[in-house]
C-alpha cells in the first residue's frame, strides 16, 4: 500500500512540477542539490565551473570585453590533470546557481595551484574582484560577487569554533559540519544600511579617507545586533553626521562582497531643513556635505579619471551603477526633477 502511495505522490509531484514556471522549477532544483548530497555529486559531473585564485575570478579579455568563462568538468579534468591535481577539486567546489535547463554552475578556488600555468593554459587572468565587478557584463557581476563571498566564507570556516576540529562542507557548499560537536555552520551575511539623506532640496554625501580621491557616496553602516533597519539608519546618521532622521523610505537591497559578505539595505531618509547642520564624525569620515541638484547631475556625468583639477584637487564623482549607492542617487535625482518640473 505504501508503495502505491509513494508512486502516486511521485506522479502528483511530477505533474505539479510541470505546471510550475521555469523560475520555480529552477529554485526547487537548486534547493534539492543543497539537500541531496548524492544528487549534487552527480550534478557536478555535468556542471560548469567558474574559477578563482585566492578569491580573484578568472576573466578572459576578448577585444574590449571581459568575459567570465565557464569550464565543463571534462575541461577542468584536462587542465588540472596537467597540474597533477587529483579528483578532489570537485569536492572543493561550491554551488552558485544553474541555467534554466538545470545545468548547475559551481565556483572553485584554485589558490593552491600555480596561477601563471592556469592563466597561460586558459589564456586569461585572475583579476582582483574590485576591478572585475566593474568590467564584466552587468549580468555577471552579482554572480562573481556571491561566488567570491561563498568561497571566502568556506576558506575562513575550516575549523569548528567550539572544538577546534576541522569542519566538512557538504557537496553544494551550503553548510559545514563539525562531526566532533555536531555543530552545523551556515554562510554568514552582515546586514548594512545605506542611506541617502535629503533635506528636501539637497542630498548628503560623504567620503571616508580610504576612498579614491573625489569619490562621495551615501552614508552606510553595519547593523548592530538586535537592531531593526529603521533603528540602524537613525543611529548611523546620528553617529556619522549628527542629524536626526524624521522619516525613511526603503528603496532596494543588494548583496555586496566587501569587506566579506554584506546585505546592503538601501533607504532614503529625510531630515528637517531647519536642522540640517552637519556635525562630522571625523574618526570615520573625512568629509560630508550637502549636494544640490546641479552638482548631482554634474557628478553623475563625471568619470574618476576626469575629476582631477589643475591645482591638484578633485571634483566630486559618485559610485558606478553596479553599486546600490548609485541607484539611490539616481532615484533622488528623479524625485527632485519631478518636483521641480
Ligand atoms: N554597494 C554600495 O553602494 C556601498 C557599499 N558600502 C559598503 O558598506 C560597508 C559598511 O559601510 P561602513 O560605512 O564602512 O560601515 P560602518 O559605518 O559601520 O563602519 C565600519 C566599521 O564598523 C566596524 N564593524 C562593525 N561591524 C562590522 C562587521 N560586521 N564587519 C566589518 N566591520 C564591522 C569596523 O570597525 P573596526 O574595524 O574598528 O572594528 C569597521 O571599520 C562597507 O564595507 C562598504 O563596502 C558602502 C557604501 C556604498
Ligand atoms: Mg559608515
Amino acid at each position: 500500500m505504501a508503495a502505491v502511495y509513494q508512486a502516486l505522490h511521485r506522479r502528483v509531484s511530477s505533474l505539479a512540477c510541470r505546471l510550475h514556471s521555469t523560475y520555480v522549477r529552477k529554485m526547487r532544483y537548486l534547493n534539492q542539490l543543497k539537500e541531496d548530497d548524492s544528487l549534487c555529486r552527480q550534478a557536478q559531473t555535468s556542471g560548469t565551473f567558474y574559477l578563482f585564485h585566492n578569491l580573484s575570478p578568472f576573466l578572459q579579455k576578448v577585444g574590449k570585453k571581459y568575459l567570465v568563462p565557464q569550464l565543463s568538468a571534462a575541461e577542468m579534468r584536462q587542465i588540472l590533470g596537467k597540474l597533477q591535481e587529483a579528483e578532489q577539486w570537485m569536492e572543493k567546489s561550491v554551488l552558485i546557481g544553474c541555467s534554466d535547463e538545470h545545468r548547475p554552475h559551481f565556483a572553485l578556488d584554485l589558490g593552491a595551484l600555480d596561477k601563471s600555468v592556469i592563466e597561460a593554459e586558459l589564456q586569461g587572468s585572475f583579476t582582483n574582484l574590485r576591478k572585475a565587478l566593474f568590467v564584466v557584463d552587468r549580468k555577471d557581476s552579482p554572480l562573481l560577487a556571491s561566488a567570491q563571498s561563498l568561497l571566502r566564507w568556506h576558506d575562513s570556516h575550516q575549523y569548528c569554533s567550539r572544538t577546534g576540529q576541522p569542519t566538512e562542507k557538504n557537496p553544494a557548499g551550503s553548510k559545514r559540519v563539525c562531526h566532533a560537536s555536531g555543530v552545523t555552520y551556515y554562510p554568514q551575511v552582515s546586514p548594512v544600511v545605506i542611506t541617502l539623506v535629503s533635506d528636501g532640496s539637497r542630498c548628503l554625501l560623504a567620503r571616508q579617507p580610504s576612498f579614491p580621491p573625489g569619490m562621495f557616496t551615501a552614508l552606510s553602516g553595519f547593523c548592530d545586533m538586535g537592531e531593526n533597519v529603521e533603528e540602524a539608519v537613525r543611529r548611523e546618521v546620528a553617529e556619522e553626521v549628527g542629524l536626526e532622521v524624521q522619516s525613511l523610505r526603503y528603496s532596494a537591497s543588494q548583496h555586496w562582497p566587501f569587506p566579506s559578505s554584506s546585505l546592503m539595505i538601501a533607504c532614503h531618509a529625510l531630515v528637517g531643513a531647519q536642522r540640517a547642520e552637519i556635525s562630522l564624525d571625523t574618526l570615520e569620515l573625512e568629509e560630508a556635505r550637502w549636494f544640490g541638484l546641479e552638482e548631482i547631475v554634474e557628478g553623475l556625468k563625471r568619470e574618476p579619471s576626469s575629476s582631477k583639477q589643475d591645482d591638484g584637487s578633485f571634483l566630486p564623482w559618485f559610485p558606478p551603477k553596479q553599486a546600490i549607492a548609485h541607484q539611490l542617487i539616481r532615484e533622488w535625482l528623479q524625485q527632485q526633477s519631478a518636483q521641480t518640473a
Side-chain angles (χ1 to χ4, degrees), residues 77-189:
R77 236 175 251 119
Q78 199 190 357
I79 287 152
L80 297 177
K82 289 184 188 168
L83 290 157
Q84 272 135 35
E85 172 73 0
E87 277 292 306
Q88 82 236 37
W89 61 268
M90 229 180 226
E91 280 293 310
K92 291 182 196 155
S93 62
V94 296
L95 179 69
I96 53 169
C98 76
S99 68
D100 286 350
E101 297 73 36
H102 294 192
R103 189 165 195 203
H105 306 315
F106 295 90
L108 173 65
D109 197 300
L110 298 174
L113 303 178
D114 186 343
K115 165 170 121 162
S116 54
V117 178
I118 309 166
E119 289 179 331
E121 191 68 36
L122 294 175
Q123 296 180 5
S125 55
F126 291 101
T127 309
N128 184 291
L129 187 70
R130 279 203 186 264
K131 177 183 172 190
L133 286 188
F134 301 111
V135 295
V136 298
D137 189 280
R138 225 173 148 179
K139 73 171 178 7
D140 291 324
S141 298
L143 191 89
L144 289 185
S146 55
Q148 197 228 38
S149 290
L150 191 54
L151 290 169
R152 183 194 295 278
W153 179 81
H154 280 284
D155 186 48
S156 55
H157 288 79
Q158 296 188 26
Y159 295 92
C160 174
S161 57
R162 196 170 290 167
T163 63
Q165 294 297 311
T167 54
E168 191 190 3
K169 79 180 250 310
N170 66 339
S174 57
K175 57 188 168 187
R176 299 187 75 90
V177 176
C178 168
H179 296 296
S181 64
V183 176
T184 303
Y185 294 90
Y186 294 97
Q188 286 162 346
V189 178

Side-chain angles (χ1 to χ4, degrees), residues 18 142 186 302:
R18 263 180 273 154
Y186 294 97
R302 196 169 290 125

